[in-house]
Each structure stands twice: as C-alpha cells, then as structure tokens.
C-alpha cells in the first residue's frame, strides 16, 4: 500500500494516535531501551522520515506516552477509596501501600519514569521539553492534592515532599529491582548475594511510609509552642 500523506488536521491527529498506539503496544513487549525508531516505523507502516514528521524523535514519542501513563495512574488513584479512620501514621501507611502497589501494577509507567531524566529528556527540542514539563507539573499538582486529601496533616509542603520522594524512589528502584540476566544469575548462585535483591513494592512502600511519618513528626514538633 502506497504511503498517503495526512493532509487535514484530523488525519494528522489520527496518524499521531497510530504512532503512539504502536509505541504503547511495543512497550508491553519490550523495555524502553529496546524500542527503536526503526521498529516503530515498521510497525506503523511508515518510513522513519515520515514518523519524524509527527514526532521529532523516539524520545519525544515516549515522553508523550509517559505523560499519558502518569495521568491514567492518577485517575485510578483518585477513584480508589481508602479508609478515613485511624491515626495520621496509620493513614500514611495505607497511602504508602496504595502508591507502591499501584505503581508496581504499571510496569510501562515505571519503566518510562526510570528512563525519564537520563534518556527521554534528551534528544528533544525546548518546545517538546516545555510541553512535557507543563504536563508533569499538572500531574504532580494532582498527586499533591491526592496526598492532601488522604493525609491533610502533612500540609502543602509535606504533601509535595512525599510526592517528590516517592516518585524519585520509584525511578531509582524500578531498574534496580529488574536486574539483567547476568545479575539474576549471580543472585541465584550464592545465598549471600540473593539478599541484595531489591523488592520494588517493599522498598517504595517503606520509603513512602517512613517519609510520611517523618514529615508528620516534624510537623508536630513545629506546632509545639516553646515553653517560656
């Protein structure tokens, strides 16, 4: 079938959706590092040069997917009800559990997040970076509102700190908890080494819970009036 250039805005939007859908499908089969522009072009049925008419680079495609994945995750979090009773620490622990388990259930999101700073935010224009960062800011603000809803005792600054810490730990913990075949073989070869395995859910949950309880403790200390 001969290539037909998209001529209307709707046709161009449809072509962009096709590219994004193909890339999203590939990420269910392979990690971000293995997704190439050549293979993406082949699956879409376009020459690489034609794919680049709609997205300036492979990284630009993946950043759009990352923004969409984060929004989908937040939508699911917002629809999840947590018990409202309990002490602030108990509610913080439940929130930490929700964040860790929900992220673990979204491997594509975690893989994209783990490559965001080192890979995806390179080989893009300032315009693409601005669009991505604006979307990221909206997502962070939504996450902060979510944290504040479940744990209002943290206050605005505490909610921001919990969101930032949780996301940064997820970015680091995901690749560490999914080691190469060689490292997996090393762990399997020696019980002393197997203890070095990282459990993503456990580490992320613990980090979020400890961060929340620490922030709550600092908040309580700050609210205690000095004895005069």
């Amino acid at each position: 079938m001969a290539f037909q250039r998209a001529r209307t805005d709707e046709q161009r939007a449809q072509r962009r959706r096709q590219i994004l859908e193909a890339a999203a499908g590939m990420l269910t089969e392979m990690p971000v590092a293995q997704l190439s522009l050549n293979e993406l072009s082949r699956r879409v049925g376009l020459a690489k040069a034609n794919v680049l008419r709609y997205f300036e680079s492979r990284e630009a495609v993946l950043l759009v997917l990352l923004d969409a994945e984060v929004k989908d995750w937040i939508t699911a979090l917002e629809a999840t009800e947590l018990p409202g009773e309990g002490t602030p620490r108990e509610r913080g622990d439940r929130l930490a559990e929700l964040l860790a388990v929900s992220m673990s259930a979204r491997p594509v999101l975690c893989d994209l997040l783990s490559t965001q700073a080192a890979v995806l935010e390179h080989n893009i224009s300032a315009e693409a970076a601005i669009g991505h960062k604006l979307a990221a800011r909206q997502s962070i603000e939504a996450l902060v509102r979510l944290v504040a809803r479940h744990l209002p005792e943290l206050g605005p600054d505490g909610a921001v700190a919990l969101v930032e810490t949780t996301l940064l730990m997820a970015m680091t913990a995901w690749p560490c908890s999914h080691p190469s075949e060689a490292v997996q073989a090393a762990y399997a070869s020696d019980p002393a080494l197997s203890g070095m395995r990282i459990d993503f859910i456990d580490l992320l949950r613990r980090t979020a819970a400890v961060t929340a309880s620490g922030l709550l403790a600092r908040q309580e200390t700050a609210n205690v009036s000095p004895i005069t």
Side-chain angles (χ1 to χ4, degrees):
M1 180 177 176
F3 169 71
Q4 294 183 353
R5 179 176 296 178
R7 299 187 181 279
T8 68
D9 289 343
E10 176 54 35
Q11 288 173 339
R12 283 187 284 271
Q14 176 63 24
R15 190 64 53 77
R16 283 176 61 89
R17 286 194 295 270
Q18 290 172 346
I19 294 169
L20 290 170
E21 288 170 1
M26 291 172 68
L27 289 177
T28 65
E29 306 168 15
M30 63 187 71
V32 169
Q34 294 180 11
L35 191 153
S36 70
L37 191 57
N38 285 334
E39 178 61 15
L40 174 59
S41 302
R42 187 189 69 79
R43 295 203 185 194
V44 178
L46 297 174
K48 184 165 71 172
N50 290 324
V51 171
L52 294 174
R53 291 178 183 272
Y54 301 97
F55 293 94
E56 62 190 44
S57 64
R58 178 192 81 115
E59 289 75 18
V61 175
L62 295 174
L63 277 181
V64 173
L65 287 180
L66 170 59
D67 295 336
E69 285 283 334
V70 172
K71 288 179 182 178
D72 286 347
W73 173 52
I74 293 172
T75 298
L77 288 175
E78 290 173 338
T80 303
E81 292 295 330
L82 289 176
E85 70 276 2
T87 65
R89 177 168 178 174
E90 289 170 341
R91 285 183 278 113
D93 287 349
R94 288 196 290 266
L95 179 59
E97 173 85 9
L98 171 63
L99 293 172
V101 172
S102 64
M103 288 199 82
S104 178
R106 294 173 176 268
V108 171
L109 166 63
C110 294
D111 194 22
L112 287 166
L113 273 176
S114 71
T115 59
Q116 176 184 346
V119 177
L120 302 188
E121 292 182 351
H122 297 261
N123 194 31
I124 58 172
S125 66
E127 181 181 3
I130 290 170
H132 163 61
K133 287 302 181 183
L134 287 174
R137 190 172 88 170
Q138 290 179 349
S139 293
I140 289 173
E141 289 172 349
L143 285 169
V144 169
R145 289 193 297 270
L146 177 87
V147 168
R149 189 181 87 202
H150 292 296
L151 205 57
E153 294 86 352
L154 281 178
D157 291 343
V160 169
L162 179 57
V163 167
E164 289 177 342
T165 301
T166 301
L167 290 177
L168 287 172
M169 178 53 70
M171 292 176 183
T172 302
W174 184 257
C176 293
S177 62
H178 292 76
S180 66
E181 291 184 3
V183 174
Q184 291 183 50
Y187 289 154
S189 71
D190 188 340
L193 296 179
S194 64
M196 298 175 67
R197 277 184 175 273
I198 291 177
D199 184 296
F200 178 80
I201 292 179
D202 180 65
L203 181 57
L204 192 60
R205 174 177 52 213
R206 182 160 27 97
T207 299
V210 170
T211 299
S213 60
L215 289 167
L216 287 167
R218 290 175 66 90
Q219 194 83 336
E220 291 174 1
T221 301
N223 291 335
V224 173
S225 300
I227 299 175
T228 58

